[in-house]
Amino acid sequence: MHSNHTLLISISILFFLSHSSFSSPLSPLFYSLSCPNTEFLVRASIRSAAGDDPSLPGKLLRLLFHDCIVQGCDASVLVAGNGTERSDPANRSLGGFEVLESTKRLLDLFCPGVVSCADVLVLAARDAVALAGGPSVEVPLGRRDSRVSLESNVRPNMVDTSFSLDEMSKLFSSKGLTMDDLVALSENYAMELIQKCPANANPSVTVNDDPVTPTLFDNQYYINLLNRTGLFLSDSILLRDPRTREKIESFAKNQDEFFASWAESFVKLTSIGVKTGGEGGIRSSCSSLNG
């Protein structure tokens, strides 16, 4: 009897730890008990927003990349204010902030203080891609939001316009990303291999790197590259180098291969430098460290 009672207590403790804020590993089931409708609510919010803004997938993917590449996927780029990551010239043309804030407010109506802004950003970007015809990806959850956001952290971790492929590869390697990841993620604005606009550019001015199927997530970007219709210097760098050209050719021929590679690379991107348990917090307002 005593041993059974001890066993029940042990099981209860393990269950609590596996579903509490002290749990470290990320898991697709992280919110299965604390907020079981998380993915449904995010998907519904993004579907509604994408109906009004077909460019939303690109915006959210850029936002996600700019978040993860600096100090990990911790929603630090969402924080507004002077001296924050968001205030750096490299981030001034980012968009999609309002959609994330409204999605976070929706989640907090049902599960106050449970879902992090970092997870909202990951899920929102994933769902926007799926809605645009891209692959549906299962992502682990349980990220915590950063308690700091510093403009000074951006430039040492961001791709520069003068970077060669070797320099880009070195930066991505330091984040756990390979050359194949670089090619797979370069289809969308998340992998901004080169800053597409100068630091003093008008944030309202946008460019389109896929004139054929601009609102779809597909392999047309790679077909365009082979047809020499890529718009940016980074495109020609990828095409000229034999280390990346072979992968470009494969993706141009086989969209299923591209989707599979992109899904794997997306999960790797969203796993960079994540904070879990007591390493971070849950912000009520994604744009404020005090929220």
Side-chain angles (χ1 to χ4, degrees):
M1 182 72 176
H2 176 72
S3 61
N4 288 340
H5 182 64
T6 302
L7 178 60
L8 287 173
I9 292 176
S10 299
I11 292 175
S12 297
I13 292 173
L14 288 173
F15 183 85
F16 169 76
L17 290 175
S18 68
H19 293 86
S20 72
S21 61
F22 298 100
S23 177
S24 293
L26 301 182
S27 167
L29 301 177
F30 188 84
Y31 298 112
S32 59
L33 293 180
S34 57
C35 192
N37 290 324
T38 295
E39 296 195 45
F40 171 81
L41 292 170
V42 172
R43 190 175 300 112
S45 178
I46 298 306
R47 181 182 292 110
S48 175
D52 297 326
D53 182 6
S55 68
L56 188 60
K59 290 178 179 178
L60 293 178
L61 285 169
R62 281 193 68 206
L63 198 52
L64 179 67
F65 175 72
H66 280 240
D67 183 44
C68 295
I69 205 69
V70 174
Q71 62 171 31
C73 304
D74 58 6
S76 52
V77 76
L78 304 183
V79 179
N82 294 330
T84 64
E85 289 180 29
R86 187 168 166 179
S87 68
D88 187 89
N91 292 331
R92 288 179 187 167
S93 64
L94 295 177
F97 297 101
E98 300 82 4
V99 173
L100 296 173
E101 285 287 358
S102 63
T103 302
K104 171 63 173 171
R105 287 194 296 270
L106 175 64
L107 286 164
D108 279 354
L109 286 176
F110 292 87
C111 315
V114 173
V115 183
S116 68
C117 295
D119 278 344
V120 170
L121 176 53
V122 169
L123 289 172
R126 179 201 68 173
D127 291 344
V129 166
L131 287 169
S136 180
V137 186
E138 181 179 70
V139 292
L141 302 169
R143 297 165 189 79
R144 290 296 186 254
D145 299 326
S146 175
R147 296 189 175 99
V148 297
S149 178
L150 299 174
E151 181 181 7
S152 58
N153 287 337
V154 176
R155 287 312 168 108
N157 293 285
M158 191 61 65
V159 176
D160 188 81
T161 53
S162 62
F163 276 15
S164 65
L165 183 59
D166 285 336
E167 290 171 315
M168 288 189 281
S169 179
K170 182 179 179 180
L171 174 62
F172 298 144
S173 179
S174 72
K175 308 295 181 179
L177 299 172
T178 66
M179 193 81 77
D180 285 350
D181 295 322
L182 184 158
V183 178
L185 292 168
S186 66
E187 196 284 324
N188 53 66
Y189 287 117
M191 255 329 187
E192 241 184 337
L193 306 180
I194 293 293
Q195 293 299 318
K196 297 170 183 174
C197 300
N200 60 351
N202 185 338
S204 66
V205 176
T206 60
V207 291
N208 178 15
D209 67 349
D210 181 1
V212 181
T213 56
T215 62
L216 295 179
F217 188 91
D218 54 23
N219 66 337
Q220 186 64 46
Y221 166 80
Y222 302 100
I223 297 172
N224 292 344
L225 279 185
L226 295 178
N227 290 333
R228 301 293 199 276
T229 54
L231 290 178
F232 310 115
L233 176 61
S234 59
D235 299 329
S236 60
I237 290 174
L238 293 175
L239 190 60
R240 288 198 310 265
D241 197 295
R243 292 172 295 175
T244 49
R245 183 183 175 94
E246 182 178 354
K247 186 62 68 174
I248 289 172
E249 292 174 343
S250 294
F251 288 166
K253 293 175 183 176
N254 191 327
Q255 181 164 280
D256 289 340
E257 179 186 346
F258 162 56
F259 278 4
S261 295
W262 184 87
E264 181 179 341
S265 297
F266 181 80
V267 172
K268 290 176 66 175
L269 173 67
T270 59
S271 300
I272 296 175
V274 298
K275 296 165 179 62
T276 58
E279 297 172 336
I282 304 291
R283 300 203 297 265
S284 58
S285 171
C286 296
S287 62
S288 173
L289 290 174
N290 300 318

